[in-house]
Amino acid sequence: MSLPVFLFDAPIPSDGTQVELTGPEARHAVTVTRLRVGERIMLVDGRGTTAEVLVTAVSGKDRLVGDVEKRTQVPQPTPQAIVVQALPKSERSELAVDLATQAGADVIVPWQASRCVAKWQGAKREKGVAKWRAMAVSAAKQSRRSWVPEVRDVQDTAGIVALIREIVADGGLALLLHEDAAASFSSIDFSTCPQVLFVIGPEGGLAPDEVAEFTHAGARAVLLGPEVLRTASAAMVALAALGVCSGRW
């Protein structure tokens, strides 16, 4: 049986040393999971370090102490996978982050595309980003990831154009998932690519002017498959295909 995973927001100590888990993560471990002395857990710092820990003490509702038995450093997968996700409708917004995190996204960038039904402005913008970051942490723990995806601030189309130019200038690939693309996903060579950026459009699809701006900046339109995917699930399918085609998996 897999060990329960908890996020440790500090450097994880070396083997044979004691570690103390407090705050919300410890509260969940003690009051929800009901861990007891003698059981084992997995700590992750979200930056590649994991540790198997033997629980030696539990006190109150939010304190757990254990001994680090095996600390491991997991390298970040290559190529780095960046998902530019157009804001889905409210009921699918966090689902998109959940699925992309499960499939291995390293960076998730919320994008206010022209055809997005959702409009993140003011306090709604801050609240939306906070929800996405919380979902990325939750999904990373659930899928036992040692790396928690970075969720960046919301970008407009100009911000995405700048990001595409940066990725391409560094030798990476920027791919637009587009149903009218002539090139297939399987035709792309990922062998020497350090980064891959996927642009996921909204339910209404990418606007022609967005496609023009992105391709002018160096992005390439590709066809992922014969089916037209929902915006919330498209990143997961693209990341799965990347995992197989690039050797990330």
Side-chain angles (χ1 to χ4, degrees):
M1 181 176 178
S2 298
L3 298 179
V5 177
F6 299 94
L7 186 66
F8 191 72
D9 193 20
I12 297 176
S14 57
D15 293 0
T17 58
Q18 191 178 78
V19 64
E20 181 178 356
L21 186 65
T22 59
E25 289 291 282
R27 188 175 302 113
H28 185 81
V30 174
T31 64
V32 179
T33 310
R34 297 185 180 276
L35 291 168
R36 298 292 181 261
V37 173
E39 296 185 279
R40 285 177 170 79
I41 63 173
M42 184 70 71
L43 293 183
V44 300
D45 68 353
R47 296 175 294 278
T49 304
T50 70
E52 186 173 325
V53 175
L54 174 66
V55 179
T56 58
V58 174
S59 61
K61 295 182 178 180
D62 58 359
R63 182 175 181 269
L64 181 148
V65 179
D67 292 334
V68 177
E69 294 189 328
K70 183 181 180 181
R71 187 179 70 172
T72 304
Q73 184 64 38
V74 179
Q76 195 163 25
T78 54
Q80 183 187 45
I82 302 168
V83 173
V84 172
Q85 176 66 60
L87 304 179
K89 298 175 183 177
S90 58
E91 66 270 18
R92 298 193 182 97
S93 184
E94 292 168 68
L95 175 61
V97 179
D98 185 359
L99 297 178
T101 300
Q102 290 183 51
D106 299 305
V107 179
I108 301 173
V109 184
W111 170 38
Q112 186 70 70
S114 63
R115 292 179 176 176
C116 285
V117 174
K119 304 296 180 184
W120 286 10
Q121 298 175 341
K124 189 172 183 179
R125 178 190 185 107
E126 296 178 5
K127 185 177 180 180
V129 172
K131 284 185 175 181
W132 279 29
R133 287 173 176 161
M135 177 53 72
V137 170
S138 176
K141 288 162 54 180
Q142 184 67 35
S143 54
R144 304 181 61 77
R145 287 189 56 174
S146 53
W147 290 89
V148 175
E150 173 194 358
V151 177
R152 298 183 182 175
D153 290 332
V154 184
Q155 297 293 316
D156 58 13
T157 297
I160 303 305
V161 167
L163 180 58
I164 289 171
R165 286 176 176 156
E166 177 185 336
I167 295 296
V168 173
D170 289 340
L173 291 172
L175 303 178
L176 313 180
L177 302 188
H178 199 294
E179 61 188 88
D180 294 329
S184 66
F185 190 96
S186 60
S187 69
I188 304 299
D189 180 10
F190 298 101
S191 60
T192 61
C193 177
Q195 296 174 302
V196 179
L197 179 147
F198 294 112
V199 177
I200 312 296
E203 295 289 3
L206 295 166
D209 60 327
E210 292 167 342
V211 174
E213 287 187 71
F214 293 160
T215 52
H216 185 263
R220 299 165 63 181
V222 296
L223 182 65
L224 185 57
E227 292 81 14
V228 177
L229 301 168
R230 286 188 179 274
T231 187
S233 59
M236 185 181 199
V237 175
L239 289 162
L242 177 68
V244 174
C245 294
S246 69
R248 272 175 59 105
W249 289 2

